[in-house]
Tab-separated table of all heavy atoms in Angstrom:
chain	number	residue	atom	x	y	z
A	1	SER	N	-2.927	13.114	2.485
A	1	SER	CA	-3.409	14.266	3.203
A	1	SER	C	-2.762	14.415	4.637
A	1	SER	O	-2.593	15.429	5.152
A	1	SER	CB	-4.926	14.394	3.243
A	1	SER	OG	-5.361	13.269	4.073
A	2	ALA	N	-2.650	13.249	5.145
A	2	ALA	CA	-2.104	13.247	6.657
A	2	ALA	C	-0.628	13.170	6.745
A	2	ALA	O	-0.038	13.423	7.860
A	2	ALA	CB	-2.769	12.044	7.430
A	3	TRP	N	0.116	12.820	5.645
A	3	TRP	CA	1.570	12.508	5.663
A	3	TRP	C	2.358	13.705	6.259
A	3	TRP	O	3.377	13.446	6.986
A	3	TRP	CB	2.100	12.147	4.336
A	3	TRP	CG	3.428	11.653	4.395
A	3	TRP	CD1	4.499	12.279	3.976
A	3	TRP	CD2	3.859	10.352	4.948
A	3	TRP	NE1	5.734	11.495	4.158
A	3	TRP	CE2	5.281	10.398	4.957
A	3	TRP	CE3	3.260	9.344	5.672
A	3	TRP	CZ2	6.102	9.259	5.406
A	3	TRP	CZ3	4.073	8.370	6.315
A	3	TRP	CH2	5.474	8.338	6.125
A	4	PRO	N	2.055	14.977	5.907
A	4	PRO	CA	2.866	16.127	6.493
A	4	PRO	C	2.836	16.030	8.000
A	4	PRO	O	3.740	16.559	8.660
A	4	PRO	CB	2.097	17.326	5.846
A	4	PRO	CG	1.544	16.935	4.608
A	4	PRO	CD	1.081	15.429	4.882
A	5	ASN	N	1.765	15.555	8.631
A	5	ASN	CA	1.752	15.408	10.091
A	5	ASN	C	2.169	14.075	10.469
A	5	ASN	O	2.348	13.933	11.802
A	5	ASN	CB	0.193	15.574	10.508
A	5	ASN	CG	-0.358	16.985	10.078
A	5	ASN	OD1	-0.836	17.112	9.084
A	5	ASN	ND2	-0.341	17.954	11.044
A	6	MET	N	2.421	13.191	9.755
A	6	MET	CA	2.853	11.763	10.119
A	6	MET	C	4.352	11.461	10.157
A	6	MET	O	4.840	10.919	11.043
A	6	MET	CB	2.239	10.861	9.163
A	6	MET	CG	0.586	10.638	9.331
A	6	MET	SD	-0.019	9.614	8.075
A	6	MET	CE	0.544	7.997	8.543
A	7	TYR	N	5.070	12.048	9.209
A	7	TYR	CA	6.334	11.512	8.833
A	7	TYR	C	7.362	11.834	9.883
A	7	TYR	O	8.301	11.022	10.183
A	7	TYR	CB	6.890	12.078	7.589
A	7	TYR	CG	7.310	13.488	7.508
A	7	TYR	CD1	8.702	13.926	7.749
A	7	TYR	CD2	6.351	14.522	7.070
A	7	TYR	CE1	9.070	15.249	7.554
A	7	TYR	CE2	6.765	15.864	7.076
A	7	TYR	CZ	8.133	16.189	7.276
A	7	TYR	OH	8.505	17.548	7.168
A	8	ARG	N	7.304	12.942	10.707
A	8	ARG	CA	8.208	13.185	11.741
A	8	ARG	C	8.010	12.207	12.995
A	8	ARG	O	9.055	11.839	13.451
A	8	ARG	CB	7.972	14.696	12.157
A	8	ARG	CG	8.512	15.702	11.208
A	8	ARG	CD	8.427	17.079	11.756
A	8	ARG	NE	8.792	18.230	10.766
A	8	ARG	CZ	8.016	18.760	9.962
A	8	ARG	NH1	6.707	18.478	10.004
A	8	ARG	NH2	8.474	19.539	9.185
A	9	SER	N	6.765	12.008	13.211
A	9	SER	CA	6.629	11.112	14.380
A	9	SER	C	6.938	9.695	14.027
A	9	SER	O	7.159	8.826	14.984
A	9	SER	CB	5.123	11.151	14.831
A	9	SER	OG	4.230	10.653	13.786
A	10	LEU	N	7.186	9.339	12.801
A	10	LEU	CA	7.417	7.937	12.307
A	10	LEU	C	9.050	7.856	12.054
A	10	LEU	O	9.403	6.886	11.492
A	10	LEU	CB	6.694	7.583	11.195
A	10	LEU	CG	5.140	7.419	11.421
A	10	LEU	CD1	4.406	7.313	10.104
A	10	LEU	CD2	4.904	6.118	12.172
A	11	ASN	N	9.692	9.017	12.242
A	11	ASN	CA	11.207	9.038	11.850
A	11	ASN	C	11.394	8.709	10.453
A	11	ASN	O	12.335	8.011	10.057
A	11	ASN	CB	11.936	7.966	12.744
A	11	ASN	CG	11.861	8.195	14.212
A	11	ASN	OD1	11.949	9.384	14.741
A	11	ASN	ND2	11.579	7.139	15.002
A	12	SER	N	10.526	9.374	9.600
A	12	SER	CA	10.658	9.222	8.188
A	12	SER	C	10.922	10.559	7.581
A	12	SER	O	11.337	11.572	8.226
A	12	SER	CB	9.379	8.608	7.568
A	12	SER	OG	9.432	8.358	6.188
A	13	THR	N	10.749	10.684	6.347
A	13	THR	CA	10.928	11.884	5.546
A	13	THR	C	9.620	12.361	4.841
A	13	THR	O	8.789	11.510	4.696
A	13	THR	CB	12.065	11.748	4.505
A	13	THR	OG1	11.737	10.719	3.510
A	13	THR	CG2	13.377	11.370	5.208
A	14	ILE	N	9.632	13.432	4.138
A	14	ILE	CA	8.463	13.952	3.413
A	14	ILE	C	8.203	13.019	2.332
A	14	ILE	O	7.022	12.950	1.752
A	14	ILE	CB	8.669	15.492	3.136
A	14	ILE	CG1	7.375	16.006	2.584
A	14	ILE	CG2	9.794	15.654	2.076
A	14	ILE	CD1	6.165	16.123	3.581
A	15	THR	N	9.220	12.582	1.718
A	15	THR	CA	9.164	11.650	0.585
A	15	THR	C	8.889	10.180	0.902
A	15	THR	O	8.671	9.293	-0.022
A	15	THR	CB	10.240	11.649	-0.323
A	15	THR	OG1	11.533	11.217	0.320
A	15	THR	CG2	10.616	13.133	-0.928
A	16	GLY	N	8.750	9.857	2.119
A	16	GLY	CA	8.687	8.559	2.637
A	16	GLY	C	7.256	7.891	2.196
A	16	GLY	O	7.146	6.623	2.104
A	17	ALA	N	6.261	8.724	1.918
A	17	ALA	CA	4.920	8.162	1.630
A	17	ALA	C	5.018	7.535	0.199
A	17	ALA	O	4.234	6.484	-0.048
A	17	ALA	CB	3.939	9.383	1.481
A	18	GLY	N	5.981	7.756	-0.577
A	18	GLY	CA	6.165	7.144	-1.939
A	18	GLY	C	6.410	5.613	-1.737
A	18	GLY	O	5.822	4.810	-2.525
A	19	SER	N	7.236	5.208	-0.804
A	19	SER	CA	7.385	3.768	-0.497
A	19	SER	C	6.124	3.057	-0.080
A	19	SER	O	5.872	1.913	-0.522
A	19	SER	CB	8.500	3.518	0.312
A	19	SER	OG	9.772	4.040	-0.097
A	20	ILE	N	5.376	3.788	0.802
A	20	ILE	CA	4.141	3.162	1.249
A	20	ILE	C	3.112	2.987	0.059
A	20	ILE	O	2.578	1.954	0.023
A	20	ILE	CB	3.440	4.095	2.354
A	20	ILE	CG1	4.419	4.398	3.487
A	20	ILE	CG2	2.215	3.490	2.823
A	20	ILE	CD1	4.862	3.275	4.291
A	21	PHE	N	3.062	4.029	-0.778
A	21	PHE	CA	2.150	3.890	-1.813
A	21	PHE	C	2.678	2.718	-2.796
A	21	PHE	O	1.709	2.017	-3.442
A	21	PHE	CB	2.089	5.205	-2.732
A	21	PHE	CG	1.352	6.274	-2.092
A	21	PHE	CD1	1.826	7.532	-1.712
A	21	PHE	CD2	-0.070	6.138	-1.743
A	21	PHE	CE1	1.071	8.533	-1.093
A	21	PHE	CE2	-0.880	7.031	-1.141
A	21	PHE	CZ	-0.274	8.258	-0.895
A	22	LEU	N	3.897	2.604	-2.998
A	22	LEU	CA	4.442	1.584	-3.791
A	22	LEU	C	4.200	0.149	-3.333
A	22	LEU	O	3.721	-0.754	-3.960
A	22	LEU	CB	5.993	1.629	-4.020
A	22	LEU	CG	6.678	0.732	-4.902
A	22	LEU	CD1	6.190	0.759	-6.267
A	22	LEU	CD2	8.178	0.935	-4.889
A	23	ILE	N	4.191	-0.100	-1.966
A	23	ILE	CA	3.925	-1.327	-1.388
A	23	ILE	C	2.424	-1.668	-1.559
A	23	ILE	O	2.078	-2.732	-1.846
A	23	ILE	CB	4.282	-1.264	0.082
A	23	ILE	CG1	5.722	-1.182	0.302
A	23	ILE	CG2	3.765	-2.469	0.964
A	23	ILE	CD1	6.221	-0.956	1.767
A	24	ILE	N	1.571	-0.601	-1.336
A	24	ILE	CA	0.096	-0.724	-1.472
A	24	ILE	C	-0.222	-1.095	-3.000
A	24	ILE	O	-0.953	-2.061	-3.181
A	24	ILE	CB	-0.571	0.425	-1.155
A	24	ILE	CG1	-0.500	0.645	0.489
A	24	ILE	CG2	-2.106	0.423	-1.463
A	24	ILE	CD1	-1.084	2.028	0.914
A	25	SER	N	0.519	-0.407	-3.941
A	25	SER	CA	0.172	-0.793	-5.277
A	25	SER	C	0.571	-2.138	-5.660
A	25	SER	O	-0.031	-2.786	-6.494
A	25	SER	CB	1.058	0.339	-6.190
A	25	SER	OG	0.548	1.598	-5.917
A	26	VAL	N	1.925	-2.604	-5.344
A	26	VAL	CA	2.347	-3.899	-5.606
A	26	VAL	C	1.458	-5.005	-4.954
A	26	VAL	O	0.987	-5.919	-5.782
A	26	VAL	CB	3.718	-4.079	-5.112
A	26	VAL	CG1	4.144	-5.599	-5.293
A	26	VAL	CG2	4.742	-3.258	-5.842
A	27	CYS	N	0.979	-4.848	-3.730
A	27	CYS	CA	0.030	-5.778	-3.192
A	27	CYS	C	-1.308	-5.730	-3.873
A	27	CYS	O	-1.997	-6.813	-3.975
A	27	CYS	CB	-0.128	-5.443	-1.626
A	27	CYS	SG	1.444	-5.866	-0.713
A	28	THR	N	-1.675	-4.597	-4.272
A	28	THR	CA	-3.061	-4.494	-4.957
A	28	THR	C	-2.924	-5.250	-6.334
A	28	THR	O	-3.869	-5.847	-6.744
A	28	THR	CB	-3.388	-3.020	-5.175
A	28	THR	OG1	-3.409	-2.390	-3.927
A	28	THR	CG2	-4.650	-2.885	-5.888
A	29	ILE	N	-1.825	-5.046	-7.010
A	29	ILE	CA	-1.563	-5.661	-8.279
A	29	ILE	C	-1.628	-7.264	-8.171
A	29	ILE	O	-2.345	-8.016	-8.823
A	29	ILE	CB	-0.361	-5.377	-9.000
A	29	ILE	CG1	-0.321	-3.878	-9.500
A	29	ILE	CG2	0.002	-6.214	-10.179
A	29	ILE	CD1	0.930	-3.225	-9.784
A	30	ILE	N	-0.944	-7.682	-7.138
A	30	ILE	CA	-1.078	-9.178	-6.846
A	30	ILE	C	-2.306	-9.713	-6.511
A	30	ILE	O	-2.807	-10.721	-7.000
A	30	ILE	CB	0.057	-9.476	-5.592
A	30	ILE	CG1	1.429	-9.298	-5.984
A	30	ILE	CG2	-0.168	-10.916	-5.119
A	30	ILE	CD1	2.509	-9.259	-4.880
A	31	SER	N	-3.054	-8.889	-5.657
A	31	SER	CA	-4.443	-9.320	-5.290
A	31	SER	C	-5.365	-9.258	-6.555
A	31	SER	O	-6.176	-10.236	-6.733
A	31	SER	CB	-4.950	-8.349	-4.194
A	31	SER	OG	-6.126	-8.639	-3.793
A	32	SER	N	-5.269	-8.348	-7.411
A	32	SER	CA	-6.117	-8.260	-8.525
A	32	SER	C	-5.844	-9.357	-9.461
A	32	SER	O	-6.800	-10.068	-10.052
A	32	SER	CB	-5.829	-6.984	-9.379
A	32	SER	OG	-6.136	-5.797	-8.501
A	33	LEU	N	-4.566	-9.683	-9.647
A	33	LEU	CA	-4.361	-10.865	-10.552
A	33	LEU	C	-4.769	-12.251	-10.062
A	33	LEU	O	-5.019	-13.158	-10.827
A	33	LEU	CB	-2.717	-10.981	-10.782
A	33	LEU	CG	-2.221	-9.804	-11.585
A	33	LEU	CD1	-0.620	-9.991	-11.727
A	33	LEU	CD2	-2.757	-9.793	-13.101
A	34	ASN	N	-4.971	-12.348	-8.776
A	34	ASN	CA	-5.394	-13.622	-8.212
A	34	ASN	C	-6.974	-13.479	-7.742
A	34	ASN	O	-7.472	-14.481	-7.191
A	34	ASN	CB	-4.661	-13.997	-6.990
A	34	ASN	CG	-3.187	-14.452	-7.356
A	34	ASN	OD1	-2.906	-15.522	-7.818
A	34	ASN	ND2	-2.266	-13.468	-7.273
A	35	ALA	N	-7.612	-12.368	-8.091
A	35	ALA	CA	-8.917	-12.270	-7.564
A	35	ALA	C	-9.908	-13.288	-8.175
A	35	ALA	O	-10.759	-13.723	-7.463
A	35	ALA	CB	-9.519	-10.845	-7.977
A	36	ASP	N	-9.733	-13.615	-9.458
A	36	ASP	CA	-10.661	-14.577	-10.049
A	36	ASP	C	-10.644	-15.924	-9.343
A	36	ASP	O	-11.676	-16.535	-9.105
A	36	ASP	CB	-10.341	-14.773	-11.571
A	36	ASP	CG	-8.946	-15.241	-11.829
A	36	ASP	OD1	-8.161	-15.020	-10.945
A	36	ASP	OD2	-8.730	-15.698	-12.907
A	37	LYS	N	-9.525	-16.375	-8.947
A	37	LYS	CA	-9.430	-17.648	-8.272
A	37	LYS	C	-10.009	-17.629	-6.851
A	37	LYS	O	-10.789	-18.545	-6.431
A	37	LYS	CB	-7.808	-18.027	-8.096
A	37	LYS	CG	-7.059	-18.208	-9.433
A	37	LYS	CD	-5.728	-18.618	-9.194
A	37	LYS	CE	-4.809	-18.661	-10.482
A	37	LYS	NZ	-4.636	-17.246	-10.976
A	38	ILE	N	-9.761	-16.486	-6.264
A	38	ILE	CA	-10.257	-16.396	-4.822
A	38	ILE	C	-11.755	-16.267	-4.926
A	38	ILE	O	-12.472	-16.922	-4.038
A	38	ILE	CB	-9.789	-15.094	-4.164
A	38	ILE	CG1	-8.167	-15.311	-4.052
A	38	ILE	CG2	-10.341	-14.829	-2.780
A	38	ILE	CD1	-7.460	-13.943	-3.686
A	39	ILE	N	-12.333	-15.461	-5.763
A	39	ILE	CA	-13.772	-15.189	-5.865
A	39	ILE	C	-14.454	-16.602	-6.371
A	39	ILE	O	-15.522	-16.906	-5.808
A	39	ILE	CB	-14.036	-14.053	-6.924
A	39	ILE	CG1	-13.638	-12.752	-6.292
A	39	ILE	CG2	-15.601	-13.972	-7.189
A	39	ILE	CD1	-13.466	-11.651	-7.296
A	40	HIS	N	-13.825	-17.310	-7.293
A	40	HIS	CA	-14.378	-18.514	-7.740
A	40	HIS	C	-14.551	-19.505	-6.546
A	40	HIS	O	-15.540	-20.349	-6.533
A	40	HIS	CB	-13.432	-19.192	-8.738
A	40	HIS	CG	-13.997	-20.395	-9.421
A	40	HIS	ND1	-14.837	-20.273	-10.538
A	40	HIS	CD2	-13.814	-21.702	-9.224
A	40	HIS	CE1	-15.230	-21.611	-10.822
A	40	HIS	NE2	-14.566	-22.351	-10.073
A	41	LYS	N	-13.626	-19.455	-5.629
A	41	LYS	CA	-13.699	-20.400	-4.502
A	41	LYS	C	-14.524	-19.932	-3.352
A	41	LYS	O	-15.341	-20.722	-2.808
A	41	LYS	CB	-12.312	-20.546	-3.914
A	41	LYS	CG	-12.089	-21.659	-2.805
A	41	LYS	CD	-10.764	-21.977	-2.389
A	41	LYS	CE	-10.661	-22.970	-1.429
A	41	LYS	NZ	-9.227	-23.432	-1.056
A	42	PHE	N	-14.624	-18.662	-3.142
A	42	PHE	CA	-15.300	-18.006	-1.825
A	42	PHE	C	-16.547	-17.246	-2.246
A	42	PHE	O	-17.251	-16.950	-1.259
A	42	PHE	CB	-14.410	-17.343	-1.042
A	42	PHE	CG	-13.193	-18.085	-0.414
A	42	PHE	CD1	-11.918	-18.008	-0.986
A	42	PHE	CD2	-13.370	-19.041	0.594
A	42	PHE	CE1	-10.919	-18.677	-0.449
A	42	PHE	CE2	-12.356	-19.726	1.035
A	42	PHE	CZ	-11.119	-19.563	0.610
C-alpha cells in the first residue's frame, strides 16, 4: 500500500517491491523449516 509513495525516495522503480517480497518470502521459508528446532530449544 505504501510502495507508490516509497520507491522514488529510495531510488527504485514501481516494480522494485517484488524483490523485497521475494527476500521476505525466502527468509520466511527458511525460518519455517527451522521453526521446530528453535521452538524445541527455546
Side-chain angles (χ1 to χ4, degrees):
S1 63
W3 189 249
N5 298 87
M6 294 173 64
Y7 74 92
R8 291 187 182 89
S9 63
L10 295 167
N11 298 315
S12 183
T13 64
I14 191 64
T15 59
S19 297
I20 304 296
F21 284 123
L22 182 60
I23 293 169
I24 292 172
S25 297
V26 169
C27 291
T28 302
I29 292 167
I30 294 170
S31 181
S32 297
L33 290 174
N34 290 280
D36 57 341
K37 302 181 185 70
I38 300 169
I39 293 164
H40 187 81
K41 185 173 182 179
F42 296 107

